[in-house]
Amino acid sequence: MSELPSRVSLREVGPRDGLQNEEPISTESKVALLDALSGTGLRRIEAVSFVHPRAIPQMADADDVWSRVRRNPEVRYSALVPNRRGLERAMAAGFTDLEVVISASDTHNRANINRSTAESLADLPELIAAAHEAGASLQLIVSTSWGCPYEGDVPVERVLWVAREGVAAGIDSLAYGDTTGMATPSRVIRLVGETRSAHPDLPLGLHFHNTRGTGLANVYAALQLGVDDFDAAVAGLGGCPYAPGASGNIATEEVVFMLEDMGVETGVDLEALLEVGLMAERFVGHRAPSQVLRAGPRTRTVAAP
Amino acid sequence: MSELPSRVSLREVGPRDGLQNEEPISTESKVALLDALSGTGLRRIEAVSFVHPRAIPQMADADDVWSRVRRNPEVRYSALVPNRRGLERAMAAGFTDLEVVISASDTHNRANINRSTAESLADLPELIAAAHEAGASLQLIVSTSWGCPYEGDVPVERVLWVAREGVAAGIDSLAYGDTTGMATPSRVIRLVGETRSAHPDLPLGLHFHNTRGTGLANVYAALQLGVDDFDAAVAGLGGCPYAPGASGNIATEEVVFMLEDMGVETGVDLEALLEVGLMAERFVGHRAPSQVLRAGPRTRTVAAP
């Protein structure tokens, strides 16, 4: 067995990717969730996205949320932006960690932002220049990296092409998103392996959804390849817009539980995170899919009959 | 990366371990579920258990269920027995694949059958002799192999002691049960590795619960060690009696999806199994945790907007 990394860096995406796929909650609740998350030991939080409120009404109050958040100086907060306009808004709000999403699948990219993948890639250099000029970093998140809800399989070559174009444009880091949970360990191994071969020094993060139950298996496969940067959402917030009732992002509690139990440090206090998970469930008003939120850490015993 | 097995043998445990942790359903429904499962390509099904009806009312009609099942000659049906009385009932009903469960944790074993682990082990030789005399095989399932809901951690040495005693008594095969989902990949690697070292030729199956979300990660870790025998329950039937709302057994659909996608044959028709999963949900009257049951196989695309 390969050695696992001794430590991983988790990026909490519940406030953005999670809430984007829930019924809108109040600004106060979003602020409370972000403030609570920043006290759990998490060191990276994707706080908001600056998208058009007609496209994603859940994020319409991004500026307001961000202005009220009690910023923990030990946390790196990031914002997702769809285009130049969003980038300007994010930078005006003070964000210096920015993410742009481009779908490897043309159909998915068109459905999201009415442009082909190639058209979105053509915009990248300008976005990167604007970010860098303001001292901000820009990550490219490639969505549908392991499959598309409209097209099905997305060829690995196409995902690698998107990554290559991003690198050529000057992205600071890359993340692969498994938008609808279509990855399995062997697919993770292949894509990560080919990416590492092509771009050995590029910081690489992985963003898994648990739509088909394989989220933690994919994390484990990636860990064995030395990947030490993962996205997860508290409580497993957010569902899948294409599969009613299916899970969304992998749950941060589950990732923290598994990694810490294997001796891989996350820096996160699981008990504190579970409290925030229960808070998140109250805010969205339904039971979230996180299993550890139900069962607790493995140290939680019950009285014998 | 290590090579994965080209093929695994799944044992469907929904009709027994799954239903045991649900509100009782009708005999007709149990028979319909078993008959449907036997048409999916599954080649091993744990059909019933012969336990005292006061202990587990869900299995009170085991004889009746079994007498009505349309037996598929290509399927090996097994029965779980807690003691000599159950063994006699199972053999009288015609079962030749028998399983005895002993908990590695004393507290859990006492809670289940009011005996210490050592006392249960002392009964094994007699059970094995009776089974073998009738031409039946007997598997020892060690429950709480990765932790106990009452005691917490269960030392690996204790689990290995139970296995060793079983081997000395003449068991035909061994299975480790993660009764409340406390295993993670590193724990799987350690226990499987030490078991293989001690008993290289002993057939070994693994029985994971997804109580903390790590079920498929554990399967993947075990696959990398060459384990090719896993239990799973259709739809992820059954919950966890110690953690309300938590998942039970890993869902057969999820295991089949992941394995087949990685090129590991299961022999199971996923689409047919999904139909049975929906049937199982109707019978138990609530949504089951299987994610693939919600999202479908990765080939299930939706129309672009």
Side-chain angles (χ1 to χ4, degrees):
Chain A
M1 302 304 299
S2 29
E3 282 283 309
L4 303 183
S6 59
R7 189 176 174 82
V8 305
S9 171
L10 298 181
R11 178 167 61 187
E12 169 60 44
V13 299
R16 200 283 302 170
D17 198 17
L19 291 183
Q20 172 175 327
N21 290 298
E22 301 279 354
E23 290 296 308
I25 69 172
S26 73
T27 304
E28 288 68 24
S29 297
K30 292 178 194 174
V31 173
L33 182 63
L34 281 160
D35 286 347
L37 284 167
S38 71
T40 60
L42 283 161
R43 287 295 170 256
R44 293 158 67 210
I45 301 178
E46 188 185 55
V48 291
S49 66
F50 290 96
V51 293
H52 198 286
R54 260 206 314 277
I56 301 181
Q58 291 92 337
M59 293 290 129
D61 55 355
D63 275 304
D64 200 10
V65 168
W66 182 237
S67 72
R68 299 202 213 171
V69 165
R70 193 178 62 240
R71 297 171 204 177
N72 180 336
E74 294 187 329
V75 173
R76 278 170 53 202
Y77 298 90
S78 62
L80 187 143
V81 301
N83 51 27
R84 181 64 189 259
R85 169 92 186 97
L87 186 97
E88 298 295 345
R89 284 178 62 201
M91 292 195 300
F95 281 97
T96 54
D97 275 289
L98 306 174
E99 304 146 12
V100 169
V101 177
I102 298 177
S103 296
S105 145
D106 247 352
T107 316
H108 193 262
N109 207 59
R110 286 184 194 281
N112 273 0
I113 52 176
N114 203 27
R115 297 168 77 65
S116 71
T117 303
E119 285 168 337
S120 283
L121 285 170
D123 296 339
L124 260 187
E126 181 197 325
L127 296 177
I128 295 170
H132 287 177
E133 201 170 318
S137 71
L138 194 134
Q139 175 176 80
L140 170 61
I141 302 178
V142 185
S143 65
T144 66
S145 285
W146 284 280
C148 167
Y150 307 124
E151 295 186 8
D153 275 338
V154 173
V156 170
E157 293 68 28
R158 191 170 163 92
V159 183
L160 292 169
W161 162 67
V162 177
R164 201 164 55 239
E165 293 291 311
V167 170
I171 56 170
D172 297 289
S173 63
L174 178 72
Y176 287 132
D178 185 22
T179 311
T180 54
M182 292 170 72
T184 55
S186 54
R187 292 180 190 267
V188 172
I189 292 167
R190 175 153 182 224
L191 182 57
V192 169
E194 300 215 15
T195 303
R196 283 279 180 69
S197 297
H199 314 286
D201 300 321
L202 183 68
L204 176 66
L206 301 180
H207 173 108
F208 292 117
H209 282 226
N210 201 34
T211 322
R212 286 171 180 82
T214 56
L216 291 195
N218 294 334
V219 168
Y220 178 57
L223 277 176
Q224 292 179 279
L225 303 172
V227 176
D228 59 1
D229 179 340
F230 297 96
D231 287 358
V234 64
L237 278 186
C240 177
Y242 313 101
S247 287
N249 295 277
I250 53 174
T252 316
E253 301 91 333
E254 293 184 9
V255 177
V256 169
F257 158 66
M258 183 174 85
L259 268 53
E260 294 280 342
D261 190 63
M262 298 197 300
V264 178
E265 280 181 46
T266 64
V268 180
D269 177 339
L270 181 55
E271 290 286 0
L273 185 65
L274 290 170
E275 289 300 315
V276 185
L278 295 175
M279 170 195 273
E281 275 192 323
R282 287 194 300 273
F283 288 157
V284 299
H286 63 82
R287 180 180 283 185
S290 167
Q291 291 298 315
V292 175
L293 195 55
R294 297 277 83 74
R298 64 194 299 291
T299 49
R300 187 179 295 175
T301 53
V302 300
Chain B
M1 302 302 301
S2 29
E3 282 282 309
L4 304 183
S6 59
R7 190 176 174 82
V8 305
S9 170
L10 299 181
R11 177 168 61 187
E12 168 60 44
V13 299
R16 201 283 303 170
D17 198 18
L19 291 183
Q20 173 175 327
N21 290 298
E22 302 278 355
E23 290 296 309
I25 68 171
S26 72
T27 304
E28 289 67 26
S29 297
K30 293 177 192 173
V31 173
L33 182 62
L34 281 160
D35 286 347
L37 285 168
S38 71
T40 61
L42 283 161
R43 288 293 169 258
R44 293 158 67 210
I45 302 179
E46 188 185 55
V48 291
S49 67
F50 290 96
V51 293
H52 198 287
R54 260 207 314 278
I56 301 181
Q58 291 91 336
M59 294 289 129
D61 56 355
D63 276 303
D64 200 9
V65 168
W66 182 237
S67 72
R68 299 202 212 171
V69 165
R70 195 178 61 240
R71 297 171 204 176
N72 180 336
E74 294 188 329
V75 174
R76 277 170 52 202
Y77 298 90
S78 62
L80 187 142
V81 301
N83 50 28
R84 180 65 190 256
R85 169 91 185 99
L87 186 98
E88 299 295 344
R89 285 178 62 201
M91 293 194 301
F95 282 97
T96 55
D97 276 289
L98 307 173
E99 303 146 13
V100 169
V101 177
I102 299 178
S103 297
S105 145
D106 247 351
T107 317
H108 193 262
N109 207 60
R110 286 185 195 280
N112 273 0
I113 52 175
N114 203 27
R115 296 167 78 64
S116 71
T117 303
E119 285 169 337
S120 283
L121 285 170
D123 295 339
L124 260 187
E126 181 198 324
L127 296 177
I128 294 168
H132 287 177
E133 201 171 317
S137 71
L138 194 135
Q139 175 175 79
L140 170 61
I141 302 178
V142 185
S143 65
T144 66
S145 285
W146 283 281
C148 167
Y150 308 123
E151 295 186 10
D153 276 337
V154 173
V156 170
E157 293 68 26
R158 192 171 161 90
V159 183
L160 293 169
W161 162 67
V162 177
R164 201 163 54 240
E165 293 291 310
V167 170
I171 56 170
D172 297 289
S173 64
L174 178 72
Y176 286 132
D178 186 23
T179 311
T180 55
M182 291 171 73
T184 55
S186 54
R187 292 180 190 267
V188 172
I189 292 167
R190 176 154 182 223
L191 182 57
V192 169
E194 300 214 16
T195 303
R196 283 279 180 69
S197 297
H199 314 287
D201 300 321
L202 183 68
L204 176 66
L206 301 179
H207 173 108
F208 293 117
H209 282 226
N210 200 34
T211 321
R212 287 171 180 82
T214 56
L216 291 195
N218 293 334
V219 168
Y220 178 58
L223 277 176
Q224 292 179 279
L225 303 173
V227 175
D228 59 2
D229 180 338
F230 297 95
D231 286 358
V234 63
L237 277 186
C240 177
Y242 314 100
S247 288
N249 294 277
I250 53 174
T252 316
E253 301 90 332
E254 294 185 8
V255 177
V256 169
F257 158 67
M258 183 175 85
L259 268 53
E260 293 281 342
D261 190 62
M262 298 197 299
V264 179
E265 280 179 47
T266 64
V268 179
D269 176 339
L270 181 54
E271 291 286 359
L273 185 64
L274 289 170
E275 289 300 314
V276 186
L278 295 174
M279 170 195 273
E281 275 192 324
R282 287 195 302 274
F283 288 157
V284 298
H286 63 82
R287 179 180 284 185
S290 166
Q291 292 298 315
V292 175
L293 196 55
R294 297 277 84 73
R298 64 195 299 292
T299 49
R300 186 179 295 175
T301 54
V302 300

